Amino acid sequence: MSHLRIPANWTIQRSTPFFTKENVPAALLSHHNTAEGVFGQLCVMEGEVTYYGFANEQATEPELKVVINAGQFATSPPEYWHRIEMSDDAQFNINFWSDKDKRDQPMFNAKS
């Protein structure tokens, strides 16, 4: 599985700036999940980002590993626990999709 399909009627609620090793938020490198009713679409412009998916908040071993190369994207379904690793030259951004207006709501949750 490289990505799950975002429903056709959903729209982008928010997009991040481009992240590199220098400015990537720490939360993305550790256990977090997309919010309820929100799909994340990770788009890699340069380098490589590796996405690790976990069965639940407590899981330490990933059940899924997807390598996303420059020019590719992958999706993260609502409320799915995951983290990323990135190559030194990686540059990527994230689009958050939903079927409702969620622009003023959190798009992800960090592990408590």
Side-chain angles (χ1 to χ4, degrees):
M1 176 190 86
S2 64
H3 64 272
L4 296 175
R5 185 177 301 275
I6 297 169
N9 62 317
W10 287 29
T11 58
I12 294 176
Q13 300 297 306
R14 189 180 312 154
S15 294
T16 69
F18 284 101
F19 295 128
T20 65
K21 280 259 187 175
E22 287 72 45
N23 69 352
V24 64
L28 298 182
L29 303 174
S30 60
H31 242 53
H32 67 283
N33 72 359
T34 39
E36 180 180 357
V38 174
F39 254 97
Q41 178 189 31
L42 194 152
C43 304
V44 179
M45 295 298 290
E46 291 181 23
E48 168 182 295
V49 175
T50 304
Y51 173 100
Y52 296 94
F54 298 89
N56 56 52
E57 183 179 3
Q58 286 75 38
T60 56
E61 291 298 317
E63 64 177 2
L64 176 70
K65 176 183 174 183
V66 179
V67 177
I68 313 154
N69 294 301
Q72 298 179 328
F73 73 90
T75 60
S76 190
E79 301 181 89
Y80 185 64
W81 290 94
H82 60 280
R83 69 174 179 83
I84 63 160
E85 289 178 357
M86 52 196 298
S87 63
D88 289 340
D89 61 341
Q91 187 176 65
F92 71 96
N93 83 316
I94 303 169
N95 297 313
F96 294 100
W97 295 74
S98 179
D99 64 340
K100 300 183 190 82
D101 184 350
K102 293 181 176 277
R103 281 172 270 227
D104 298 330
Q105 298 176 28
M107 295 290 144
F108 70 92
N109 304 296
K111 188 174 179 179
S112 47

